[in-house]
Amino acid sequence: MIKTVDLTKVFRTEEVETTALNQVSFEIKEGEFVAIMGPSGCGKSTLLNILGLLDNPSGGQYFFVDHEVSKYSEKQRANLRKRNIGFVFQNFNLIDELSVFENVELPLIYLGYSAADRKKRVEEVLEQMQIMHRKNHFPLQLSGGQQQRVAVCRAVVAKPHIILADEPTGNLDSTHGDEVMNLLETLNKNGTTIIMVTHSQRDASYAQRIIRLFDGQIVTEDKATEFVLASTEQTEQ
């Protein structure tokens, strides 16, 4: 589903050139749950932006659902993105002036769904995520856990092939964080491919595979069970 070959991203100013990604190559298959980990500034967010078709790489190749997209224009990327990708952000990115229903409905409006189809799909996903009782509330009337649940609803309402999650539990307590991770795990079990950037070993344990970045390069790729076991042994020592 996703493949990168020697992916590179360089940011340039008049005085400084910074290599955020340096020849990054990997594959993600349909239906996988992959966590991307690493210290701040290692290139995680840059990589997620490219995978999410929000930015182009400076070099290398990026194959997305059988399209080589590394040189796509913004319009081409947007057309591919809106039909294939759902985003879950650390800061929720809900629109305060819109109700829960309206926030979740927004992607369907962009895709041209009829009003009847929008209502049916939004109510289905709100029921699924157990937030239907809040459909007429506004984001500021919700707890952090509820806001993130709405953000997950918005990400999945158009049935995307892939969900990209950027620190999805970063602003939540452990109880609400576990709730969001369980939702993502359920979506993955139902066939959705999930790529998640996280600092949390606890969140990473939900993934099947962990890609670890350092200084813009992949330093390790492990099955999540192996990574968590190694981390536990280090803690005990």
Side-chain angles (χ1 to χ4, degrees):
M1 174 165 275
I2 281 178
K3 179 180 179 180
T4 71
V5 180
D6 294 335
L7 206 65
T8 301
K9 184 65 177 181
V10 178
F11 294 102
R12 295 182 176 89
T13 66
E14 291 182 0
E15 299 177 355
V16 180
E17 180 175 289
T18 303
T19 300
L21 296 174
N22 187 8
Q23 295 187 323
V24 172
S25 300
F26 63 90
E27 291 188 47
I28 295 176
K29 296 178 181 178
E30 186 173 359
E32 276 198 285
F33 190 155
V34 177
I36 299 173
M37 300 189 73
S40 296
C42 72
K44 301 188 303 295
S45 294
T46 299
L47 179 58
L48 202 68
N49 284 341
I50 292 173
L51 296 181
L53 302 171
L54 297 172
D55 196 6
N56 276 339
S58 304
Q61 294 176 294
Y62 176 27
F63 297 90
F64 179 85
V65 194
D66 298 325
H67 299 266
E68 208 292 288
V69 299
S70 59
K71 301 294 192 299
Y72 268 28
S73 67
E74 167 54 30
K75 183 177 181 180
Q76 289 174 308
R77 293 200 311 270
N79 286 334
L80 198 56
R81 182 174 62 237
K82 68 183 181 181
R83 299 184 182 279
N84 290 282
I85 302 175
F87 293 90
V88 179
F89 301 98
Q90 178 178 351
N91 295 321
F92 318 137
N93 284 13
L94 301 175
I95 300 173
D96 292 340
E97 294 76 19
L98 299 182
S99 69
V100 164
F101 185 97
E102 290 166 338
N103 267 282
V104 177
E105 181 187 33
L106 209 53
L108 301 181
I109 293 175
Y110 292 145
L111 289 170
Y113 280 64
S114 69
D117 286 343
R118 294 199 304 268
K119 184 176 186 296
K120 180 175 183 293
R121 182 61 189 148
V122 171
E123 290 183 349
E124 283 176 356
V125 76
L126 290 175
E127 289 282 7
Q128 181 185 358
M129 300 298 177
Q130 300 178 2
I131 197 73
M132 182 68 172
H133 61 295
R134 295 285 196 176
K135 73 173 185 175
N136 294 321
H137 288 69
F138 293 89
L140 294 179
Q141 296 174 303
L142 307 178
S143 69
Q146 289 170 334
Q147 287 188 59
Q148 193 60 296
R149 211 183 306 170
V150 174
V152 172
C153 288
R154 183 185 57 191
V156 304
V157 69
K159 299 183 179 180
H161 295 102
I162 299 173
I163 290 178
L164 300 183
D166 190 1
E167 299 284 1
T169 68
N171 286 331
L172 304 176
D173 59 36
S174 59
T175 299
H176 289 129
D178 287 346
E179 183 179 280
V180 168
M181 291 309 304
N182 287 330
L183 288 174
L184 293 178
E185 184 178 47
T186 298
L187 291 168
N188 177 247
K189 287 179 178 178
N190 290 333
T192 304
T193 304
I194 297 178
I195 304 170
M196 174 181 67
V197 162
T198 182
H199 282 98
S200 168
Q201 293 183 10
R202 183 185 182 121
D203 289 357
S205 69
Y206 285 81
Q208 297 146 7
R209 185 159 57 102
I210 296 170
I211 296 172
R212 195 167 185 89
L213 293 180
F214 187 77
D215 284 349
Q217 295 180 302
I218 293 177
V219 290
T220 60
E221 283 193 59
D222 303 294
K223 291 183 178 179
T225 51
E226 296 171 352
F227 177 83
V228 172
L229 180 61
S231 299
T232 302
E233 290 174 348
Q234 288 175 4
T235 301
E236 291 174 349
Q237 292 172 359

